[in-house]
């Protein structure tokens, strides 16, 4: 697995000069930073198109057939179904798992994630709460419930859950990242930057916290630092239209219009409907001398 090379310059600040490749994708995932016009409220589990998941599911089905009363077998196959984007089958397996083991916090939490991916936020909240009741120290369930609460605009409840997750697992980059997103949504950008700093300190090889911190840095007029963060995010994933677009915005606000235009163009090449990039190109192509805030 390739790993990014990180040059640290003090706590919370890093520049990536290598390329990162994530390992096995867990069912849970960090939330993505929001767009200017419509917040992407939670992570989307990418479907595996390689065919490897289908082979894995077939093997896991054999395990289930040999062990029809094993909750863990259903839980594991359910996770594979979810990885393949088959959320209905995943929910069926997780339901069987909790029937066999009503105290399985992981099965409840996994079912909640599949419910969430299916757009059933209320059902997801109930399952995350069941997971916490089964195991009050299961930090993943607090993070998952908080992400749904944030998606529903319940910021105080989300903040409370994430603070508890951080108390339980203080080295969780995901918990700090998610709490930063809550603070960002509330307009508490300096506090959000502190949480994104903590997330990056704990795992500097993921793009999302850099991109999220970049938005709060723009909001606090720290444009050079924002550009640095978007460079780091794009070193990990140079197909992220949002990072190109917001880098363009940071360049534009620091009066570097040629670089801004180039970044906006890169964003629209990836996503022609990216609102930040389209608006930025409209300003630059219209010859506007100032950026209206």
């Amino acid at each position: 697995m390739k790993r990014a090379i990180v040059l640290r310059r003090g706590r919370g600040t890093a520049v990536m000069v290598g390329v990162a490749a994530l390992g096995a994708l867990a069912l849970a995932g960090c939330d993505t930073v929001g767009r200017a016009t419509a917040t992407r409220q939670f992570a989307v589990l990418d479907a595996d198109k390689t065919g490897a998941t289908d082979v894995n599911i077939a093997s896991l089905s054999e395990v289930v057939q040999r062990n029809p009363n094993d909750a863990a077998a259903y839980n594991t196959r359910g996770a594979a179904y979810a990885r393949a984007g088959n959320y209905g089958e995943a929910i069926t397996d997780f339901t069987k798992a909790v029937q066999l083991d009503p105290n399985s916090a992981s099965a409840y939490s996994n079912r909640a994630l599949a419910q969430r991916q299916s757009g059933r936020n209320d059902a997801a909240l109930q399952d995350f709460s069941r997971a916490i009741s089964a195991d009050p120290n299961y930090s993943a369930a607090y993070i998952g419930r908080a992400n749904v609460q944030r998606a529903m605009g319940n910021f105080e409840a989300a903040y409370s859950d994430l603070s508890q997750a951080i108390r339980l697992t203080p080295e969780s980059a995901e918990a700090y990242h998610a709490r930063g997103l809550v603070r960002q949504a509330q307009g508490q950008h300096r506090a959000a930057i502190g949480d994104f700093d903590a997330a990056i300190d704990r795992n500097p090889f993921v793009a999302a916290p850099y991109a999220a911190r970049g938005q709060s840095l723009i909001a606090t007029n720290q444009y050079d630092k924002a550009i640095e963060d978007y460079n780091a995010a794009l070193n990990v994933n140079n197909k992220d239209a949002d990072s190109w677009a917001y880098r363009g915005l940071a360049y534009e606000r620091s009066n570097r219009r040629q670089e801004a235009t180039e970044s906006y163009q890169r964003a629209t090449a990836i996503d022609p409907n990216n609102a930040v990039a389209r608006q930025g190109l409209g300003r630059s192509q219209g010859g506007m001398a100032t950026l209206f805030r």
Side-chain angles (χ1 to χ4, degrees):
M1 181 178 71
K2 296 180 180 178
R3 301 188 70 188
I5 301 170
V6 178
L7 304 181
R8 291 189 175 274
R9 293 201 301 275
R11 180 174 179 81
T13 303
V15 178
M16 294 188 180
V17 296
V19 179
L22 295 180
L25 179 62
L27 186 57
C30 282
D31 283 22
T32 57
V33 66
R35 296 179 186 268
T37 55
T39 303
R40 283 156 52 191
Q41 298 285 13
F42 45 77
V44 176
L45 201 64
D46 292 332
D48 179 8
K49 298 178 182 179
T50 66
T53 299
D54 291 338
V55 174
N56 191 35
I57 289 172
S59 298
L60 292 171
S61 294
E62 294 178 2
V63 174
V64 168
Q65 290 170 3
R66 292 196 302 269
N67 303 277
N69 296 315
D70 185 352
Y74 287 97
N75 195 20
T76 302
R77 189 176 67 175
Y81 275 127
R83 179 67 179 83
N86 297 329
Y87 301 119
E89 297 287 353
I91 290 169
T92 297
D93 269 0
F94 296 139
T95 298
K96 182 64 175 179
V98 297
Q99 289 172 348
L100 292 169
D101 182 4
N103 295 314
S104 175
S106 65
Y108 280 120
S109 188
N110 283 342
R111 188 171 70 175
L113 288 163
Q115 302 274 23
R116 191 178 114 180
Q117 298 286 9
S118 303
R120 301 165 65 181
N121 282 348
D122 289 338
L125 281 179
Q126 292 176 3
D127 271 347
F128 281 128
S129 295
R130 291 187 181 107
I132 291 167
S133 295
D135 182 359
N137 294 318
Y138 194 59
S139 65
Y142 289 98
I143 297 171
R145 188 169 70 176
N147 287 334
V148 180
Q149 294 281 17
R150 181 172 61 84
M152 299 173 72
N154 301 326
F155 300 126
E156 293 304 322
Y159 181 87
S160 177
D161 271 353
L162 290 165
S163 295
Q164 177 63 11
I166 288 168
R167 283 191 288 270
L168 291 169
T169 52
E171 292 305 311
S172 172
E174 184 182 0
Y176 277 106
H177 176 209
R179 195 173 71 174
L181 291 173
V182 171
R183 287 172 155 172
Q184 188 176 72
Q186 294 176 300
Q188 300 174 11
H189 290 288
R190 295 194 183 279
I193 288 168
D195 275 343
F196 297 137
D197 287 347
I200 290 166
D201 277 350
R202 285 157 178 78
N203 186 356
F205 305 115
V206 178
Y210 290 96
R213 188 171 66 179
Q215 283 198 26
S216 287
L217 288 168
I218 291 173
T220 54
N221 304 320
Q222 301 180 70
Y223 306 127
D224 287 344
K225 289 183 178 179
I227 291 166
E228 185 177 90
D229 268 359
Y230 286 115
N231 287 339
L234 289 165
N235 273 329
V236 178
N237 177 16
N238 68 0
K239 300 298 184 182
D240 180 21
D242 281 345
S243 289
W244 285 111
Y246 279 106
R247 191 179 79 160
L249 185 59
Y251 274 130
E252 184 178 0
R253 290 192 175 178
S254 56
N255 296 316
R256 298 166 67 178
R257 295 193 175 275
Q258 181 61 39
E259 293 95 330
T261 299
E262 291 172 356
S263 288
Y264 289 143
Q265 289 172 339
R266 291 292 297 267
T268 55
I270 297 166
D271 177 9
N273 296 316
N274 187 283
V276 174
R278 284 169 60 89
Q279 292 165 9
L281 283 175
R283 287 189 296 272
S284 63
Q285 292 170 354
M288 294 179 64
T290 60
L291 175 64
F292 293 97
R293 295 181 174 85

